[in-house]
Amino acid sequence: MADRSNIIEIRDLTKTYTDGLGVKALDGLSLKVKRGEFISIIGPSGSGKSTLLHMIGILDTPTSGTILIDGEDVTTMSDKERSSARNKMLGFIFQYHHLLPDFSAIENVMMPLLISGKNKAEAREIAKELLKKVGLEDRIDHRPNQLSGGQNQRVAVARALANRPKIVIGDEPTGNLDSNSSDKIYELLRKLNRDYGQTFILVTHDEDMAAKTDRIIRIVDGRIVDDRNLF
């Protein structure tokens, strides 16, 4: 039975890519994440960090093992069920913001809301409030090429939060920014974590940023070699 205090439970997860040499990206990995935690996942390139993130994000399927998200076993879901669970429970922030270049900031944030079935007026109101939350209320009609890198990443953060996901996943969310912008994005994510109580899981190469999270999980060769609570 799932422990309801945990938003994520991963049990004996393996992922082997059968093309080429049959690389084992994850090797019997188990992990529990409590609701509202702010976690960093670190490790060398090729250690399995991004593979694990893709599993948690329901973007890929494991070779074996179980993943429970909010008590639901996502490894046994159909493609349609997985897509629905992903849209309902998860928000994504990537290293590159992936904003639609021909759309304004508010239109980019509205997009997942419209896809989920919100009407245009409601979606605009929610998007406007989120852009205010990330400090861009005076930039809502600007397109990505009219914004700085840090501002575009703030729009991406607002978009990730649009459907009020239970879990926000960041794959090197500050990796393409200068140190000042990176610090500001981290502080923003931390504030949102405290304000909304959502679970944040960040893959990062930035050890300084990792040291400011609640918990550091270090992965090497597809296994967790260190798991430390910092606060």
Side-chain angles (χ1 to χ4, degrees), residues 89 91-93 160-161 165-170 198-202:
M89 294 193 289
F92 298 88
I93 309 165
L161 296 175
K166 296 176 181 179
I167 302 165
V168 179
I169 290 173
Q198 291 159 310
T199 304
F200 279 72
I201 302 173
L202 310 180

Side-chain angles (χ1 to χ4, degrees), residues 43-59:
S45 296
S47 60
K49 304 185 304 295
S50 291
T51 300
L52 176 58
L53 212 62
H54 289 161
M55 297 296 166
I56 295 172
I58 325 179
L59 296 169

Side-chain angles (χ1 to χ4, degrees), residues 19 22 35 37-38 49 80 91 112 115 122 133 147 152 173 176-177 187 195 197 217 226:
D19 56 323
R35 297 174 192 278
E37 277 196 287
F38 195 101
K49 304 185 304 295
K80 185 176 180 180
I115 291 171
E122 186 179 6
K133 192 78 175 175
L147 299 170
N152 276 318
N176 197 39
L177 301 174
E187 292 301 334
D195 288 352
I217 297 166
D226 191 19

